[in-house]
Amino acid sequence: MTRLLLGVTLERICKAVLLLCLLHFIIIMILYFDVYAQHLGTHPFSNSSRPNGTVPSYGPAGAEAPSPSAKPSANQSATEKPLQPCQETPPGLVGRLLIEFSSPMSMERVQRENPDVRQDCLPRQKVAILIPFRHREHHLKYWLHYLHPILRRQKVAYGIYIINQFGEDTFNRAKLLNVGFLEALKDDEEYDCFIFSDVDLIPMDDRNLYRCYEQPRHFAVGMDKFGFRLPYAGYFGGVSGLSKSQFLKINGFPNEYWGWGGEDDDIFNISLNGMKVSRPDIRIGRNRMIKHARDKHNAPNPQ
């Protein structure tokens, strides 16, 4: 009798486990179907069938935005219509994106996917994207693979600056970003927006517009590392943006933070006094992080 009851109990447990597995499988399929449906153009925010493909829009690294008053060049067709200002909300956004890091990635592939980029409207801002860097070539390839198409769909006139710290001394993210700000302006003094991004963070929704706002902007609201939640109210790390005037007002990032962490909290709690940080909706501000071990010579700052 005891064996019979035990057998019945085990049978019920097995059935329950199978039902849970089936339910999990159905939920996963629904999520993937939702993402792929957006890519096929069935999502209300979708106008593109290839969210990570190349599209004829504006935004090569280092490209210059044409002036609204610029005259046509000699080789420009007389019948060619002048470019109109880009819309406030770009029409080609696709919404949530499927981000994965399992496919092999090479710089040759990135170059092949972005052979030529032309403007089809006058961008509202000129954006310099600054990436503090050391020994992260693998991450950089994925970042470029995903961000080039996103930025082009967002109609951004952008330049990408990789600020590499030479040698093996303790890493200083904030100082690298200050260097990047100055070097970008040497390259083109017309930059009016600066976005400071870690190389291992990829936005999961192209409606998270990489542009500057009236207030400092924090783009990386929810990371998979933190369960897609803001880890704490004063978090300003990962990806943030400041206009040229905002950056000059706070006199840049603090140079004293050596090692991982601290400089973004300093900015939020001290430097931005009198300014209010703006953020996208948590459903739009999601980011995926490329998993990696702790970098050498970038131990957490004990202070």
Side-chain angles (χ1 to χ4, degrees):
M1 188 67 177
T2 302
R3 291 183 179 179
L4 180 60
L5 290 174
L6 180 61
V8 172
T9 302
L10 288 174
E11 182 181 359
R12 290 176 178 175
I13 292 174
C14 290
K15 288 181 178 180
V17 170
L18 287 174
L19 286 173
L20 287 174
C21 291
L22 179 60
L23 180 61
H24 180 265
F25 176 78
I26 292 173
I27 292 173
I28 293 297
M29 288 298 100
I30 290 174
L31 291 174
Y32 271 92
F33 177 78
D34 180 49
V35 172
Y36 280 112
Q38 294 177 55
H39 294 178
L40 293 173
T42 58
H43 192 277
F45 293 102
S46 174
N47 285 318
S48 171
S49 61
R50 294 184 62 196
N52 288 318
T54 57
V55 292
S57 57
Y58 189 77
E64 294 189 4
S67 169
S69 60
K71 296 180 180 180
S73 59
N75 59 354
Q76 190 174 10
S77 172
T79 59
E80 187 175 338
K81 295 181 179 180
L83 296 178
Q84 299 299 313
C86 297
Q87 299 180 33
E88 179 68 25
T89 301
L93 302 180
V94 301
R96 280 182 291 173
L97 306 172
L98 182 63
I99 307 295
E100 57 86 22
F101 307 117
S102 58
S103 302
M105 188 57 57
S106 66
M107 197 61 73
E108 289 75 21
R109 177 179 171 181
V110 173
Q111 294 170 341
R112 189 169 61 250
E113 292 171 339
N114 302 275
D116 188 24
V117 185
R118 299 180 183 276
Q119 70 272 22
D120 58 10
C121 64
L122 294 175
R124 293 174 173 269
Q125 297 178 357
K126 193 159 190 181
V127 180
I129 302 175
L130 312 180
I131 299 178
F133 187 85
R134 185 167 64 182
H135 305 322
R136 292 288 191 90
E137 291 80 5
H138 175 68
H139 295 171
L140 180 60
K141 295 170 186 175
Y142 282 110
W143 192 96
L144 293 170
H145 166 71
Y146 283 113
L147 265 295
H148 270 306
I150 290 174
L151 294 168
R152 287 156 58 181
R153 287 198 300 277
Q154 292 183 357
K155 308 299 182 185
V156 177
Y158 64 95
I160 299 170
Y161 295 85
I162 312 300
I163 306 96
N164 181 68
Q165 181 169 328
F166 181 76
E168 299 300 329
D169 291 336
T170 304
F171 198 67
N172 190 322
R173 178 180 184 269
K175 185 171 285 193
L176 292 176
L177 294 176
N178 289 336
V179 170
F181 175 84
L182 295 174
E183 292 299 319
L185 286 177
K186 288 180 185 177
D187 188 37
D188 192 335
E189 61 183 14
E190 293 185 3
Y191 282 122
D192 50 11
C193 176
F194 296 82
I195 293 178
F196 312 94
S197 175
D198 290 346
V199 74
D200 56 2
L201 284 179
I202 310 295
M204 300 177 67
D205 195 310
D206 62 3
R207 292 170 295 173
N208 192 0
L209 300 177
Y210 274 35
R211 62 172 64 156
C212 287
Y213 297 78
E214 293 183 1
Q215 298 292 339
R217 187 75 164 179
H218 182 223
F219 298 94
V221 180
M223 302 182 199
D224 54 352
K225 174 183 178 180
F226 301 129
F228 297 114
R229 294 182 177 87
L230 199 65
Y232 51 93
Y235 184 65
F236 195 61
V239 187
S240 58
L242 296 168
S243 68
K244 182 179 179 180
S245 61
Q246 290 164 357
F247 189 88
L248 293 174
K249 182 178 180 180
I250 68 172
N251 196 30
F253 286 86
N255 287 321
E256 295 81 9
Y257 287 90
W258 295 89
W260 182 84
E263 80 288 336
D264 48 351
D265 293 327
D266 185 301
I267 290 292
F268 187 93
N269 294 316
I270 301 174
S271 301
L272 295 182
N273 186 27
M275 291 187 276
K276 184 178 180 180
V277 172
S278 66
R279 293 186 174 101
D281 185 278
I282 187 66
R283 293 168 294 182
I284 294 177
R286 291 186 170 194
N287 281 253
R288 272 204 73 183
M289 176 179 284
I290 306 174
K291 293 182 179 180
H292 58 88
R294 169 68 60 201
D295 299 333
K296 293 182 179 179
H297 311 291
N298 192 25
N301 190 315
Q303 300 177 352

